[in-house]
Amino acid sequence: MTQSKNPPRVSLVGAGPGSKDLITIRGLKVLQNADAVLYDALAAKDLLDEIAKDVPKIYVGKRCGKHFAKQEEINQLLVECAFNYGHAIRLKGGDPFVFGRALEEVSYVESFGIPVEVIPGVSSAIAVPSGQGIPLTQRGVASSFWVMTGTKRDGGFSEDLKLAAQSSATMVILMGVRKFVDIAQEIRKYRGGLTPIALVQNGTLKNEACIIGTLSSAEILFESVDVSMPGIIVVGNVVSEHPSFFEDEIQRVLHSAI
């Protein structure tokens, strides 16, 4: 490795839920002082315009089903960039510590004696439902919420999904678009078919899309879903607070009766 004139260091920066302007002020300032940037598929590409043109920008993917680089390769690249350029930034969608495998990157980089700073980001798990007018908690309706992944490494459901389904908590499920119907069917074992469910894709972006319905209508809802796009599933009575929930459900019921 060629040693940079700048001391090696790494920052993990949360890019926020999607829209460029939802990165934190601190995160943006750190990004603008980068010597090299490794960015993933969920980070707003517009943020790259905030970085000097001569700064290396390396795409490392990490979208479900389209991993451009393996996690081990990303870890190694971070170390190489820190030694070669100085301040290496890992730009990650949402918050680095929410299903971002950030701890693996921190541990690996620090094993080389390189200092690491983590800049928190606005998590899509909270921001995306909020942007659609869906509160995750509501007095008298839901006093807590669970955030979980839709699929474990072995392809099965997390035990937390089953436990959350048996509670009254709002369920927020990440990385579950492809298993939307299976997830709804699993939750339906513990909650009534009329329990509201929402799927928000491309949250906070101009092409944001949201489908609203109930667990019993999951199969119909899924017909309009683009599985190539990332999305967040929200399950619970709070989803009925979405401005179009009742209107959409009435139209769906009328359509099915024809």
Side-chain angles (χ1 to χ4, degrees), residues 21-35:
D21 56 2
L22 288 177
I23 191 173
T24 66
I25 295 175
R26 183 176 177 185
L28 182 59
K29 288 181 177 179
V30 170
L31 185 63
Q32 290 170 332
N33 285 284
D35 295 316

Side-chain angles (χ1 to χ4, degrees), residues 78-128:
L78 273 173
V79 171
E80 291 174 8
C81 285
F83 280 125
N84 290 339
Y85 302 106
H87 188 191
I89 302 291
R90 176 72 168 99
L91 186 62
K92 304 168 75 73
D95 179 88
F97 279 165
V98 180
F99 298 112
R101 301 185 69 173
L103 190 58
E104 297 174 41
E105 296 172 356
V106 171
S107 299
Y108 186 85
V109 172
E110 288 184 339
S111 72
F112 287 82
I114 301 173
V116 180
E117 179 184 22
V118 178
I119 311 298
V122 178
S123 174
S124 59
I126 298 174
V128 170

Side-chain angles (χ1 to χ4, degrees), residues 205-224:
L205 299 176
K206 291 181 179 179
N207 59 338
E208 181 175 39
C210 179
I211 58 172
I212 302 284
T214 59
L215 291 177
S216 61
S217 62
E219 290 82 357
I220 299 174
L221 294 173
F222 193 64
E223 294 175 359
S224 62

Side-chain angles (χ1 to χ4, degrees), residues 64 149-151 173-183 199-202 211 222 225-233:
C64 181
T149 178
T151 308
I173 305 161
L174 310 181
M175 299 173 285
V177 173
R178 288 174 172 80
K179 290 199 170 185
F180 180 77
V181 173
D182 294 334
I183 288 170
L199 171 59
V200 187
Q201 295 186 279
N202 297 314
I211 58 172
F222 193 64
V225 173
D226 181 354
V227 296
S228 68
M229 295 292 102
I232 292 178
I233 300 169

Side-chain angles (χ1 to χ4, degrees), residues 19 26 93 174 192 238 252:
S19 181
R26 183 176 177 185
L174 310 181
V238 293
R252 193 172 294 110

